[in-house]
Amino acid sequence: MDNPLPPGSVIGILGGGQLGRMLALSASRLGFDTHIFDPAPNGPAARVAARSWAAPWDDDGAVEHFASKCDAITFEFENIPASALAAAASKAPVRPGRRSLELTQDRLIEKQFIRDAGCQTVDFADVNSISDLEAGLSRLGRPAILKTRRFGYDGKGQIVIRDETDLETAWRDLGEQPAILEAFSPFQRELSIVAARAANGEMAIYPLAENSHEGGILRLSKAPAHVDSATENSAIEIARAIGAGLGHIGVFAVELFDVDGQLIVNEIAPRVHNTGHWTMDACACSQFEQHMRAVAGWSLGDTIPHSACEMTNLIGGDVTNWQGLASDAATCLHLYGKTEARAGRKMGHINRLFPLND
Ligand code: ADP
Ligand code: MG
């Protein structure tokens, strides 16, 4: 690699939740210092970082001050305002770049990009009014899913339009904001692929994970997923097309629906992803270390797992059983240091390892 950042360099992270925390921990193992920028002080990442900055996203001066102390900057979530990204980029290289955010922050732009990259998506319609919604439904049929174009996560900002759903109520419940209507995919299972792309275009791709959700929130990822080689190859091709199309530097994830062996792209996360947490204990180089390697311009690490893994999220009150989990020798416990175990909140996760090919 040209000009890799040496150990001792400072890597800035925009966003200070659990992904930022696990990025910071991995960065520190490689000898880097991390600085965290987040509007909320003292979050999960700030407490394991060398330094943290708390200021609103629209405080360009604060973002620039933070960035001026960093040798490179990355982010842990995709809803960073464009102005904050530009302020950061005026002082230090931001990896991944603006394009990765711009093409994935908005579900409509994202779906168009995925198709332009030569991958399949469900059919969709642009919805800005009730009449758009009616027109979209007459084309896509029911059930369909109405999603806000921006700021959705963990199933939030989505309404399933069933036969009996009243459209005016649904449109009001969604907040009457720019939306995308998606045909309902009759998938047999959900898969995801986590990949890293270096500045020179080289890629490192982990095996697929098979994922299950409860109440819109990821509960379980099993990896490597049991897939045939055609499916595996098709997922790798999708990851390559999307990584190259974004000009991405760093880790990203692609969520997939498996429909009779055909892979339909659901969404892209331009960052480390919950369905890649299994790599922390089942691979020599986790997705977090991998991301830091790419951001720092180091060579990418190995993605071949030494074990199979089941990752289970600890959501809300699950975490009160930490002593039981900690006393199970077969369980690798990861806690995020969040003080309040609110319902639906991701508090930690466990990885259980198994021999490969079991
Ligand atoms: P989020 O940003 O909340 O993860 P997703 O678009 O991934 O949003 O939707 C969350 C979950 O809802 C998906 O993992 C899948 O289970 C289900 N889902 C989303 N879109 C569709 C669709 N078009 N057809 C069927 N199920 C869907
Ligand atoms: Mg999703």
Side-chain angles (χ1 to χ4, degrees):
M1 279 308 158
D2 291 338
N3 302 318
L5 290 180
S9 303
V10 175
I11 300 184
I13 302 174
L14 296 165
Q18 68 265 20
L19 299 178
R21 179 183 178 99
M22 292 183 273
L23 284 169
L25 290 170
S26 281
S28 71
R29 200 161 67 96
L30 299 180
F32 296 118
D33 278 346
T34 51
H35 290 192
I36 309 297
F37 187 100
D38 193 284
N42 207 29
R47 297 206 305 283
V48 302
R51 190 166 174 188
S52 63
W53 309 68
W57 289 119
D58 61 4
D59 185 342
D60 286 351
V63 176
E64 281 173 24
H65 193 199
F66 150 82
S68 69
K69 308 288 181 197
C70 301
D71 299 300
I73 293 170
T74 189
F75 51 82
E76 61 127 40
F77 85 132
E78 56 271 47
N79 290 318
I80 295 163
S83 61
L85 206 71
S90 72
K91 300 290 178 194
V94 177
R95 300 171 185 151
R98 213 177 64 193
R99 184 175 163 82
S100 291
L101 275 186
E102 280 173 356
L103 292 174
T104 59
Q105 279 182 337
D106 178 312
R107 292 187 192 278
L108 186 70
I109 293 171
E110 181 180 50
K111 285 242 163 23
Q112 273 151 1
F113 161 70
I114 292 164
R115 291 209 166 173
D116 292 345
C119 307
Q120 294 190 64
T121 69
V122 292
D123 280 337
F124 57 93
D126 183 8
V127 171
N128 295 294
S129 63
I130 294 261
S131 59
D132 286 350
L133 180 54
E134 284 164 352
L137 281 171
S138 59
R139 183 161 64 82
L140 304 179
R142 299 190 189 209
I145 307 193
L146 184 65
K147 303 180 181 178
T148 58
R149 284 174 61 171
R150 295 179 60 107
F151 302 121
Y153 71 98
D154 287 349
K156 294 183 174 62
Q158 301 191 11
I159 296 176
V160 180
I161 311 281
R162 303 179 196 282
D163 286 342
E164 65 280 10
T165 306
D166 175 63
L167 296 189
E168 286 193 12
T169 311
W171 181 238
R172 207 174 38 243
D173 287 352
L174 202 75
E176 302 185 25
Q177 52 182 312
I180 179 171
L181 184 71
E182 295 183 9
F184 198 88
S185 170
F187 59 77
Q188 284 87 39
R189 57 179 177 169
E190 292 191 78
L191 301 168
S192 61
I193 191 154
V194 173
R197 187 171 177 277
N200 65 2
E202 183 194 326
M203 286 187 66
I205 304 177
Y206 291 97
L208 284 152
E210 179 171 346
N211 310 311
S212 5
H213 296 80
E214 276 171 24
I217 305 174
L218 180 72
R219 169 58 91 180
L220 182 71
S221 285
K222 290 185 186 182
H226 295 286
V227 290
D228 56 29
S229 59
T231 305
E232 183 85 41
N233 290 338
S234 145
I236 290 170
E237 242 174 69
I238 289 170
R240 289 195 180 283
I242 286 173
L246 294 173
H248 197 78
I249 303 177
V251 166
F252 64 98
V254 184
E255 295 179 10
L256 303 159
F257 297 146
D258 180 351
V259 185
D260 304 324
Q262 292 255 66
L263 295 181
I264 309 294
V265 177
N266 171 35
E267 62 171 350
I268 304 166
R271 51 164 171 80
V272 288
H273 194 250
N274 199 166
T275 67
H277 290 3
W278 66 272
T279 61
M280 296 174 85
D281 296 300
C283 296
C285 179
S286 74
Q287 62 164 348
F288 299 100
E289 175 177 336
Q290 195 73 271
H291 183 71
M292 284 304 173
R293 283 171 169 264
V295 168
W298 290 23
S299 56
L300 298 179
D302 194 7
T303 54
I304 299 174
H306 53 70
S307 302
C309 184
E310 279 187 25
M311 190 282 321
T312 307
N313 270 339
L314 303 176
I315 298 169
D318 295 346
V319 73
T320 51
N321 183 33
W322 60 268
Q323 288 190 80
L325 296 167
S327 64
D328 176 358
T331 294
C332 308
L333 179 61
H334 301 265
L335 298 176
Y336 305 152
K338 295 183 184 177
T339 41
E340 221 190 312
R342 286 196 297 270
R345 198 171 195 208
K346 291 175 180 168
M347 303 299 294
H349 67 271
I350 51 173
N351 283 333
R352 289 205 177 94
L353 300 182
F354 304 90
L356 275 172
N357 305 321
D358 233 19

